[in-house]
Amino acid sequence: MNETVRTSLFVAGAVLSLIAAQVTSRGVTKPPAEFSQVGTPFYPDFVDADAAKSLQVVNYNPETASLRIFGVEQGSDGVWRIPSRNNYPVDGKERLGKTATSIIGIKKEALAGPRKSQHIEFGVLDPLSESVSDYQGVGNRVTLKDGKDGKVLADLIIGKEVKGRSGFFYVRNPSEDQTYIAKVSIDVSTKFADWIEPDLLKLDGSKLRYINIEKHSVEFGQDGGGSLAGKESNQLTRTSATDKWKLDGLDDATEEVNEDEVRKLVQALDDLKIVGVRPKNEKLKKRLQDDQGLALDDRTRREMEEIGFFFVRMPDRKGMAMISQEGDLAAVTEQGVAYELHFGSVFSGTEEEVEAGFINKGEEKSDANGKEAENKEKNDEADAKTDARKIKSRYLFAQAQFDPSALGPKPEAPVRPEAPAEAAAANEDTPADAAAAENVGEKPDPKKAYEEALAKYDIDLKKYEADVKAYEEKVKTGEKLVKDLNRRFADWYYVISGDSFENLRQGRKTLVKPKSTPENAAGQSSPAGNVDAQDAPDSQDASAN
């Protein structure tokens, strides 16, 4: 082999070695960045749940073809509120803490897919994206921010559950295309009632002693004047929780209280839930907070008449009386708390509209992500789907007063006995007294009788002092309960469900039933019959202008 051939072979070998080395190095490729993140948290810097000062949840309701945007946030005053629900205060702060904690623990368990085209398949389309056309494949977006500069602590779109893997979902960061599989155990409710104290009255039904239902309806004529139709009044009383309720005006010979319906009434008061709120104007709020009563300025009058509360001047021309669209209910507890519930107009709307009123969805969505709302065609489609799902509810104006008479009679001080006169004690018995003393075998001793009466007085005095202290404590407790309730009631008109309204606004037709007799039990007819007071011809009219 000559030198030229040998040199050529060495060069060829070197080239082949170099190519082999390059091929080998290319075989050990670095994994894509999305694979390298598997096993890491979505937001590794978010480690303190208390840092979260606002939460927003956005989901899509396929039944109504609409977005539901719900959030809570802490204001500068430290109070947590729901911005999209008229800034109503939140009682569910612990729920936010649990949500934040559960998001901290979410890790990227596996890569589901790196491409944007897979988002519909995984159900992780951004519900706030203006590129979404029919909301098919959208997920639930959960965003947590701090309270300093609105910095995002976590922002995730949670999609469909992975088939065959309970508790695992497709999850995506809205700013990234890749979708991961993650174990998710977040219970983020967008229901208004889950974030507030829904028990409006904080009333214990066993403590109720008096209920008065003033039932009527305001009807307006073509001239704009109003009158009361179906007017009736029903008063129920009992002296203790174990006593049966008594109804005034009951014909004991033929009628009895319908205990099942009264039980519904008491339960409705005990468990009366808020389903929506509307704010009162600032002037009215201030007056009610200061216990100054209603301020009947033009704005307040218009505001209240729009939801079914009207005012008429009293016959003496010295004041105004409020007339509610659908009557009133007064309920008094043994604690001296007298609740006044006034029923206004009916309100029909979607669940979201019942909670906060008619919200402009376009404005709400624009506020949420800085983008314009969906086009008119899409909104019309949503309206068509929701019209059939309107929820009927009722406006409620609530107040409370303290009624000391409900506490029972005030303790009366015992009378100290008078000491017998010495002269009288020293006098001899009269013949009649002597005869009496001879009959009983001993002479009456005024001094001893006085000492016994005095000892009894001392015992009665101590009991009286203890009773007075207990009574004063009841007064103090009752007054505080009323004050706390009115502070809560002052800022809001409430909305209650249609079912709650029907259970509260009962009349004689439901509260009374024919008295049970042996003949009734045997299936024979009873001479008793129900009287529907709404059909009575003596309904009273009142102006409601």
Side-chain angles (χ1 to χ4, degrees):
M1 181 181 297
N2 60 36
E3 192 65 29
T4 301
V5 174
R6 185 181 291 112
T7 300
S8 298
L9 289 174
F10 277 125
V11 172
V15 172
L16 289 173
S17 297
L18 180 60
I19 293 173
Q22 289 178 344
V23 171
T24 302
S25 66
R26 289 176 181 175
V28 188
T29 58
K30 293 178 65 176
E34 54 264 26
F35 278 104
S36 66
Q37 295 181 32
V38 171
T40 65
F42 275 89
Y43 288 90
D45 295 333
F46 180 35
V47 295
D48 181 11
D50 292 335
K53 301 302 180 185
S54 74
L55 164 71
Q56 179 177 274
V57 183
V58 184
N59 59 27
Y60 174 70
N61 186 339
E63 293 185 356
T64 60
S66 63
L67 288 179
R68 185 175 176 88
I69 302 175
F70 186 90
V72 296
E73 65 180 35
Q74 187 180 42
S76 57
D77 56 358
V79 177
W80 289 82
R81 294 186 173 87
I82 308 173
S84 62
R85 301 299 181 268
N86 299 305
N87 280 317
Y88 193 77
V90 170
D91 291 319
K93 182 182 176 182
E94 290 184 2
R95 180 182 288 272
L96 175 62
K98 291 179 180 178
T99 300
T101 300
S102 62
I103 288 178
I104 288 175
I106 297 179
K107 292 183 179 181
K108 303 171 182 178
E109 303 289 348
L111 179 66
R115 295 185 300 277
K116 187 175 182 178
S117 60
Q118 297 171 299
H119 291 176
I120 293 179
E121 175 189 351
F122 299 140
V124 292
L125 284 177
D126 185 356
L128 291 176
S129 173
E130 62 181 2
S131 63
V132 175
S133 58
D134 58 5
Y135 289 107
Q136 295 302 310
V138 297
N140 297 324
R141 185 168 176 176
V142 182
T143 308
L144 290 168
K145 296 181 181 180
D146 68 13
K148 297 179 181 178
D149 52 7
K151 176 184 175 183
V152 174
L153 300 174
D155 192 7
L156 297 173
I157 299 174
I158 302 171
K160 299 175 182 178
E161 187 171 21
V162 180
K163 290 183 179 180
R165 301 189 66 182
S166 177
F168 286 83
F169 293 79
Y170 296 108
V171 181
R172 181 173 73 87
N173 184 322
S175 63
E176 299 174 349
D177 289 340
Q178 60 266 29
T179 303
Y180 294 90
I181 294 174
K183 187 175 179 61
V184 178
S185 59
I186 304 176
D187 179 18
V188 184
S189 173
T190 59
K191 286 187 175 293
F192 176 65
D194 289 341
W195 289 91
I196 67 168
E197 170 52 72
D199 186 357
L200 176 59
L201 304 181
K202 293 183 176 293
L203 179 151
D204 182 349
S206 67
K207 293 180 170 24
L208 280 171
R209 297 293 175 265
Y210 172 85
I211 302 172
N212 180 44
I213 306 170
E214 295 291 339
K215 186 176 181 181
H216 63 249
S217 295
V218 176
E219 296 182 351
F220 293 95
Q222 293 181 349
D223 60 353
S227 61
L228 298 185
K231 182 175 173 58
E232 63 171 289
S233 177
N234 293 288
Q235 297 181 23
L236 290 156
T237 57
R238 66 177 176 181
T239 56
S240 72
T242 57
D243 288 341
K244 291 186 176 181
W245 286 94
K246 296 180 179 179
L247 179 65
D248 280 6
L250 199 69
D251 184 347
D252 293 330
T254 60
E255 299 174 325
E256 64 182 357
V257 173
N258 189 335
E259 295 183 9
D260 290 338
E261 292 300 323
V262 174
R263 195 176 297 112
K264 287 182 184 179
L265 169 62
V266 172
Q267 184 60 38
L269 285 165
D270 189 319
D271 195 37
L272 185 58
K273 294 288 191 296
I274 304 168
V275 298
V277 290
R278 309 289 187 270
K280 293 172 182 169
N281 68 71
E282 293 301 322
K283 184 175 181 179
L284 179 56
K285 287 181 185 179
K286 185 68 169 59
R287 287 186 62 88
L288 294 177
Q289 288 167 354
D290 294 339
D291 297 321
Q292 295 179 1
L294 292 172
L296 293 183
D297 55 278
D298 289 341
R299 179 177 178 181
T300 297
R301 182 190 294 272
R302 288 195 305 269
E303 181 177 285
M304 297 190 69
E305 287 184 351
E306 285 178 358
I307 59 175
F309 303 105
F310 311 99
F311 296 89
V312 296
R313 186 166 296 281
M314 298 295 288
D316 57 11
R317 312 293 292 180
K318 293 181 179 180
M320 303 288 286
M322 185 174 80
I323 298 180
S324 308
Q325 175 72 47
E326 295 294 337
D328 314 276
L329 183 148
V332 184
T333 70
E334 64 180 19
Q335 301 157 298
V337 180
Y339 295 89
E340 297 178 4
L341 307 182
H342 309 282
F343 305 114
S345 304
V346 67
F347 179 89
S348 295
T350 64
E351 182 180 31
E352 202 167 4
E353 290 166 346
V354 167
E355 291 174 354
F358 290 110
I359 300 172
N360 186 319
K361 298 296 193 304
E363 291 181 0
E364 187 177 47
K365 184 173 181 182
S366 178
D367 291 342
N369 71 339
K371 299 181 183 297
E372 292 301 322
E374 298 299 326
N375 56 44
K376 184 178 184 302
E377 181 180 352
K378 201 177 302 174
N379 287 334
D380 289 343
E381 178 187 354
D383 291 341
K385 289 187 177 182
T386 56
D387 280 343
R389 295 180 175 86
K390 298 288 187 180
I391 301 170
K392 186 173 288 188
S393 54
R394 182 73 54 171
Y395 287 112
L396 177 74
F397 184 91
Q399 291 178 295
Q401 294 187 25
F402 180 63
D403 181 3
S405 66
L407 302 179
K410 191 173 182 179
E412 294 185 5
V415 179
R416 184 184 179 90
E418 295 184 4
E422 293 184 4
N427 288 340
E428 295 183 358
D429 294 333
T430 61
D433 292 336
E438 185 176 347
N439 289 334
V440 299
E442 61 180 25
K443 183 178 180 180
D445 185 350
K447 184 178 180 181
K448 182 178 179 181
Y450 167 71
E451 290 174 347
E452 290 175 349
L454 189 61
K456 183 178 183 303
Y457 167 77
D458 290 337
I459 294 172
D460 292 343
L461 182 61
K462 290 179 179 178
K463 182 178 183 304
Y464 164 74
E465 291 171 347
D467 290 345
V468 167
K469 186 176 181 180
Y471 182 84
E472 291 175 345
E473 188 62 32
K474 286 182 180 179
V475 170
K476 184 178 178 181
T477 299
E479 289 178 336
K480 184 179 185 305
L481 284 172
V482 168
K483 186 174 182 179
D484 290 345
L485 285 168
N486 281 330
R487 292 296 173 273
R488 185 184 187 197
F489 297 158
D491 294 354
W492 307 98
Y493 302 110
Y494 295 100
V495 182
I496 60 173
S497 71
D499 289 342
S500 293
F501 169 70
E502 294 299 334
N503 286 332
L504 290 171
R505 187 182 172 271
Q506 296 200 48
R508 273 187 82 80
K509 186 174 182 179
T510 56
L511 295 174
V512 178
K513 66 178 183 179
K515 192 165 189 176
S516 299
T517 64
E519 290 78 9
N520 289 341
Q524 298 182 17
S525 61
S526 168
N530 286 335
V531 178
D532 186 354
Q534 288 189 347
D535 297 331
D538 57 347
S539 297
Q540 300 180 18
D541 291 343
S543 172
N545 291 329

XYZ file of all heavy atoms in Angstrom, residues 220 302 304 310 363 412 459 513:
76
model
N -103.438 47.736 41.735
C -103.507 49.087 41.183
C -104.553 49.158 40.072
O -104.678 48.245 39.251
C -102.140 49.506 40.625
C -101.096 49.666 41.687
C -100.230 48.626 41.985
C -100.998 50.847 42.405
C -99.267 48.765 42.969
C -100.040 50.987 43.389
C -99.175 49.950 43.675
N -88.734 56.260 45.633
C -88.683 55.603 44.322
C -88.013 54.230 44.423
O -88.484 53.255 43.819
C -87.912 56.483 43.329
C -88.641 57.730 42.886
C -87.979 58.339 41.660
N -86.554 58.615 41.886
C -86.085 59.762 42.345
N -86.922 60.752 42.643
N -84.788 59.947 42.497
N -87.847 52.180 46.939
C -88.651 51.179 47.622
C -89.915 50.833 46.842
O -90.358 49.677 46.838
C -88.984 51.643 49.039
C -87.752 51.814 49.922
S -88.119 52.095 51.666
C -88.763 50.498 52.155
N -94.706 50.652 49.483
C -95.360 51.925 49.188
C -95.657 52.674 50.485
O -95.712 52.076 51.572
C -96.657 51.679 48.413
C -96.463 50.758 47.238
C -96.791 49.413 47.335
C -95.941 51.235 46.052
C -96.602 48.549 46.264
C -95.755 50.383 44.975
C -96.074 49.041 45.076
N -70.483 43.811 30.465
C -69.614 44.641 31.284
C -68.847 43.803 32.277
O -67.679 44.014 32.545
C -70.451 45.692 32.019
C -71.033 46.748 31.099
C -71.836 47.766 31.875
O -71.912 47.626 33.109
O -72.391 48.680 31.253
N -91.454 41.684 90.962
C -91.991 42.652 91.908
C -91.341 42.449 93.268
O -91.202 41.316 93.749
C -93.503 42.507 92.036
C -94.251 42.856 90.760
C -95.755 42.822 90.958
O -96.191 42.610 92.115
O -96.489 43.001 89.981
N -85.907 35.909 102.652
C -85.753 34.903 101.592
C -86.323 35.420 100.286
O -85.704 35.307 99.212
C -86.443 33.585 102.007
C -85.731 32.964 103.202
C -86.467 32.607 100.839
C -86.447 31.763 103.794
N -108.113 23.849 60.071
C -108.716 22.665 59.465
C -109.909 22.241 60.313
O -110.020 22.633 61.494
C -107.701 21.532 59.367
C -107.230 20.971 60.696
C -106.253 19.814 60.465
C -105.817 19.192 61.793
N -104.879 18.046 61.568
